[in-house]
Amino acid sequence: MKIAVIPGDGIGVEVMEAALHVLDSLDMEFEFMEADAGDACLERTGTALPEETLEVVGESRATLFGAAGESAADVIVRLRREFDLFANLRPVKSLPGVPCL
């Protein structure tokens, strides 16, 4: 399965490294296709979300996106519009004995 990987900025790079490590440990075949987006991309190329990244996402069955800094709206909103996405899932887990609001 082809998966687009967009590490993005800041903590996203570290989170993506960990996520890929977990996926690599599974008994499944993935083809990871790295793409660029975010503040560092904007500084290097003049655009926060290059057309090449949109092409990689379009060719993939799934996309893993780490994080974006100041250019987050330019990246996330455009990805949502281009690919008719509507959810930004962030799984959470409550732990017994830990207060939650």
Side-chain angles (χ1 to χ4, degrees):
M1 175 190 330
K2 289 184 180 181
I3 299 177
V5 176
I6 307 172
D9 302 308
I11 190 86
V13 177
E14 294 174 33
V15 169
M16 191 60 63
E17 185 178 318
L20 293 177
H21 182 73
V22 170
L23 291 173
D24 281 337
S25 73
L26 300 176
D27 188 23
M28 299 177 71
E29 288 193 31
F30 298 111
E31 179 183 348
F32 298 114
M33 302 173 5
E34 190 158 334
D36 202 8
D39 294 349
C41 180
L42 176 61
E43 189 173 311
R44 271 192 320 280
T45 67
T47 181
L49 184 61
E51 291 299 318
E52 296 84 16
T53 297
L54 293 173
E55 290 173 15
V56 169
V57 171
E59 295 169 1
S60 302
R61 294 283 311 239
T63 299
L64 297 174
F65 178 69
E70 296 294 319
S71 62
D74 295 331
V75 176
I76 297 168
V77 172
R78 184 157 181 217
L79 282 170
R80 287 179 181 175
R81 286 184 179 152
E82 293 282 334
F83 297 100
D84 195 27
L85 304 172
F86 59 90
N88 185 5
L89 300 178
R90 297 179 182 195
V92 298
K93 180 179 180 181
S94 296
L95 301 174
V98 177
C100 298
L101 300 175

